[in-house]
């Protein structure tokens, strides 16, 4: 157990929820940055909520936004974290073509705002940047730490800026700042418009007779899909090393979208060809065809290894959807008190 304090941006996202669980288990006090919304957006971390009046509470939430640098500086000063995990981003590749300017503001410049806030407050904290395999884009696999970058979307370009500004603050100011270059990682908590979750949800609903058809875009794209709950462990390990460095985190395996669809439907004894239809609106103006990560550095230095691969991931996600359907609730929405109450009182 540790008495360390962590600050997580993007705590309400898929990875933020798994990372919070991991750090709380390790004894950390965890502070999360939550965007103000007109509806409650904390469903992925509701199960971690404890009444803030309880002296044993170690999870605290604060309103904030990566587009607001002075707020980030205030929060750092208030929280005095040992570790900062920057997971916040406009993270949807297709959406980044529709909203390139907002994506750049949040995903690229937001990183500079946070790093600059750390530099200005002079905190001796360690910094994790959520970099992405999208930065490799058109460069053929396998991709590793020294593979040339060739991003194919406004999101990929914004992440590449964030990657380099992180390295720049490490080199220029001696900040302990690392890039985790994570390949696709999924879970039952994945956002519903990413392809794996969209497929798991639809296949389960088709099996239950709630819908007939699933519309998808490019089935030929290949991805290196891992399990999010395992990937947050790699994030933490990166910040426990003596020296800051950058690491690829991946399974080293590649499957097509079609493969993932087939595994998901087959798990329900369905033939996907009877239900999946093409809709061009899900195509991207430029596609990333093939991602396969070489994570041997993470294995050698961090001792990190993946266990779950795409076929098992598909089954695991479908099982979670079946379970949620039988309880008539989303898999990420447990019926417990909400930390939104804490925020509502601010
Ligand atoms: P996610 O589920 O989309 O979560 C993104 C988080 O960022 C959410 O908490 C979101 O808040 C928050 N956010 C968005 N804009 C913000 C802003 N302007 N200010 C503050 N917070 C903001 O993403 P994820 O899958 O957990 O991924 C975590 C990070 O890793 C992201 O940076 C993503 O780009 C990167 N990444 C993901 C993968 C992957 O396969 N999952 C792979 C490589 C890298 P709301 O809940 O309010 O929307
Ligand atoms: N979302 C979506 N919806 N994707 C589809 C669909 C569809 O209906 N049909 C086919 N696809 C294809 C996309 O064209 C892409 O090639 C692949 O499925 C995966 O799409 P997403 O699940 O949206 O993920 P992504 O690979 O674009 O981006 C994710 O992984 C990145 C790491 O490589 C996101 O999590 C990014 O934030 C992350 O950085």
């Amino acid at each position: 157990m540790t008495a360390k304090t962590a600050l997580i941006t993007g705590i309400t996202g898929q990875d933020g929820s798994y990372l919070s669980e991991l750090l709380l288990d390790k004894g950390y006090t965890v502070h999360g940055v939550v965007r103000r919304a007109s509806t409650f957006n904390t469903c992925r971390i509701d199960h971690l909520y404890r009444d803030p009046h309880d002296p044993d509470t170690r999870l605290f939430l604060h309103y904030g936004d990566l587009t607001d640098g002075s707020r980030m500086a205030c929060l750092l000063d208030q929280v005095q974290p040992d570790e900062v995990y920057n997971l916040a981003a406009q993270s949807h590749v297709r959406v980044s073509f529709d909203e390139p300017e907002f994506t750049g503001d949040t995903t690229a410049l937001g990183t500079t705002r946070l790093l600059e806030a750390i530099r200005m407050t002079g905190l001796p904290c360690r910094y994790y940047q959520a970099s992405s395999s999208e930065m490799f884009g058109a460069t053929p696999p396998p991709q590793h730490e020294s593979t040339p970058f060739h991003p194919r979307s406004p999101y990929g370009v914004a992440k590449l800026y964030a990657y380099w500004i992180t390295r720049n603050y490490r080199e220029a100011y001696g900040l302990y700042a690392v890039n985790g270059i994570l390949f696709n990682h999924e879970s039952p908590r994945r956002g519903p418009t990413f392809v794996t979750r969209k497929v798991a949800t639809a296949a389960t609903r088709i099996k239950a007779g709630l819908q007939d058809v699933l519309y998808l875009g490019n089935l030929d794209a290949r991805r290196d899909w891992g399990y999010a709950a395992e990937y947050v462990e790699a994030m933490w390990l990166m910040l426990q090393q003596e020296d800051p460095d950058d690491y690829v985190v991946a399974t080293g395996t590649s499957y097509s979208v079609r493969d993932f669809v087939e595994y998901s439907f087959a798990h329900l004894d369905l033939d996907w060809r009877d239900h999946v239809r093409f809709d061009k609106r899900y195509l991207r103006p430029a596609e990333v065809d093939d991602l396969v990560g070489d994570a041997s550095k993470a294995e050698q230095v961090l001792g990190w290894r993946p266990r779950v691969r795409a076929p098992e991931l598909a089954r695991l996600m479908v099982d979670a959807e079946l379970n949620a359907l039988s309880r008539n609730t989303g898999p990420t929405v447990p019926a417990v008190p909400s930390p939104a109450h804490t925020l509502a009182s601010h």
Side-chain angles (χ1 to χ4, degrees):
M1 297 293 268
T2 177
K4 282 186 187 169
T5 298
L7 179 70
I8 304 176
T9 72
I11 194 168
T12 56
Q14 171 189 255
D15 292 4
S17 66
Y18 285 116
L19 182 64
S20 300
E21 283 172 6
L22 180 85
L23 296 181
L24 289 168
D25 275 354
K26 290 184 183 298
Y28 279 65
T29 297
V30 174
H31 291 261
V33 180
V34 177
R35 290 198 289 180
R36 195 268 159 183
S38 66
T39 52
F40 290 141
N41 56 357
T42 54
C43 61
R44 290 187 178 102
I45 49 172
D46 280 354
H47 62 293
L48 302 174
Y49 174 73
R50 301 267 300 263
D51 186 329
H53 303 101
D54 180 337
D56 294 330
T57 297
R58 286 186 286 113
L59 173 66
F60 301 94
L61 301 179
H62 312 266
Y63 280 125
D65 197 298
L66 279 190
T67 57
D68 183 352
S70 59
R71 176 59 174 152
M72 288 301 140
C74 274
L75 276 178
L76 286 165
D77 190 45
Q78 184 186 333
V79 169
Q80 299 277 311
D82 301 289
E83 297 171 5
V84 175
Y85 295 86
N86 184 26
L87 309 185
Q90 191 303 92
S91 71
H92 203 285
V93 172
R94 178 66 191 84
V95 172
S96 79
F97 286 99
D98 299 330
E99 300 187 6
E101 189 180 329
F102 173 74
T103 301
D105 196 3
T106 297
T107 306
L109 274 184
T111 305
T112 304
R113 291 188 189 100
L114 188 53
L115 285 165
E116 187 62 0
I118 292 172
R119 187 183 74 82
M120 287 189 328
T121 48
L123 277 177
C125 60
R126 297 184 168 200
Y127 176 87
Y128 173 87
Q129 173 59 28
S131 285
S132 166
S133 48
E134 268 290 305
M135 301 186 308
F136 296 122
T139 310
Q143 294 99 357
H144 51 80
E145 289 80 1
S146 337
T147 299
F149 298 119
H150 184 156
R152 296 271 286 167
S153 63
Y155 168 81
V157 172
K159 279 289 181 189
L160 191 52
Y161 173 97
Y163 166 90
W164 278 114
I165 200 72
T166 300
R167 283 190 67 159
N168 181 248
Y169 271 60
R170 181 165 83 210
E171 292 166 11
Y173 304 117
L175 229 71
Y176 190 113
V178 310
N179 282 292
I181 308 174
L182 271 54
F183 283 60
N184 296 52
H185 45 281
E186 320 292 313
S187 75
R189 299 182 195 174
R190 188 55 144 150
T193 61
F194 295 94
V195 79
T196 54
R197 178 78 193 284
K198 185 174 166 182
V199 169
T201 307
T204 311
R205 286 175 55 82
I206 288 168
K207 181 73 179 177
L210 296 171
Q211 72 183 68
D212 290 329
V213 173
L214 165 63
Y215 289 99
L216 292 174
N218 178 13
L219 301 185
D220 294 325
R222 302 184 71 85
R223 289 290 182 274
D224 180 334
W225 279 296
Y227 183 32
E230 294 178 358
Y231 281 40
V232 297
E233 174 95 26
M235 297 178 187
W236 175 77
L237 283 167
M238 284 179 217
L239 291 196
Q240 313 313 309
Q241 305 308 304
E242 198 166 320
D243 298 311
D245 206 347
D246 306 325
Y247 299 88
V248 158
V249 176
T251 69
T253 60
S254 156
Y255 295 88
S256 67
V257 174
R258 186 180 292 97
D259 292 335
F260 199 93
V261 170
E262 190 168 340
Y263 300 142
S264 306
F265 278 74
H267 190 49
L268 295 161
D269 296 321
L270 293 171
D271 185 342
W272 67 274
R273 290 173 197 80
D274 296 337
H275 303 281
V276 173
R277 304 282 177 272
F278 172 70
D279 186 336
K280 68 176 183 334
R281 102 165 102 143
Y282 298 116
L283 297 178
R284 284 116 197 244
E287 176 64 285
V288 170
D289 294 324
D290 200 359
L291 292 174
V292 191
D294 172 359
S296 37
K297 180 176 169 185
E299 182 172 349
Q300 280 155 21
V301 180
L302 307 177
W304 180 88
R305 293 175 78 163
R307 291 179 293 276
V308 176
R309 288 172 175 75
E312 188 184 346
L313 189 59
R315 292 193 291 272
L316 173 163
M317 290 178 71
V318 166
D319 285 342
E321 296 292 335
L322 281 171
N323 194 20
L325 208 58
S326 70
R327 287 183 286 116
N328 199 20
T329 172
T332 59
V333 192
V336 292
S338 166
H341 298 314
T342 320
L343 288 165
S345 66
H346 281 205

